[in-house]
Amino acid sequence: MSSVDLRTAYDALPLTDQNYNGQGETVVFIEGGGFLQSDFATFAADEKLPPYNLSLVGKNTGYDDETTMDIETCTRSRR
């Protein structure tokens, strides 16, 4: 899925068309599953993105690929 596809799916094209890219904003995810930090390092390198700056509040219990996909989607959609 391309970044344009993601922006279309989340109805964010009107924002990016006005040059709003979310830079400097904070995004909060409330997730029930955990994640692997190494997944984000790999994704950022593969997509030529800057490293992730994640702050975890609570416990990172187990692994849930839905959590990883949510965070990656948010990052990729800003391109």
Side-chain angles (χ1 to χ4, degrees), residues 2 11 14-15 20 28 34-35 41 46 49 52 55 66 71 73-74:
S2 73
D11 195 26
L15 296 172
Y20 180 79
V28 176
F35 60 87
D46 289 350
L49 296 168
Y52 282 84
S55 298
E66 180 70 25
I71 296 170
T73 297
C74 182

Side-chain angles (χ1 to χ4, degrees), residues 3 6 10 21 25-44 47 49-57 59-60 62-79:
S3 59
L6 291 170
Y10 287 93
N21 65 8
E25 299 294 326
T26 299
V27 178
V28 176
F29 294 91
I30 299 173
E31 300 281 353
F35 60 87
L36 301 173
Q37 182 65 42
S38 61
D39 284 348
F40 298 115
T42 300
F43 180 78
E47 296 293 322
L49 296 168
Y52 282 84
N53 181 12
L54 298 175
S55 298
L56 178 65
V57 176
K59 296 180 180 178
N60 186 8
Y63 173 75
D64 178 4
D65 49 341
E66 180 70 25
T67 299
T68 300
M69 192 167 47
D70 290 346
I71 296 170
E72 289 175 350
T73 297
C74 182
T75 302
R76 186 167 185 195
S77 65
R78 72 172 195 214
R79 291 174 67 199

Side-chain angles (χ1 to χ4, degrees), residues 2-23:
S2 73
S3 59
V4 172
D5 293 334
L6 291 170
R7 289 193 305 269
T8 300
Y10 287 93
D11 195 26
L13 277 175
L15 296 172
T16 56
D17 287 347
Q18 295 178 25
N19 295 320
Y20 180 79
N21 65 8
Q23 185 174 351

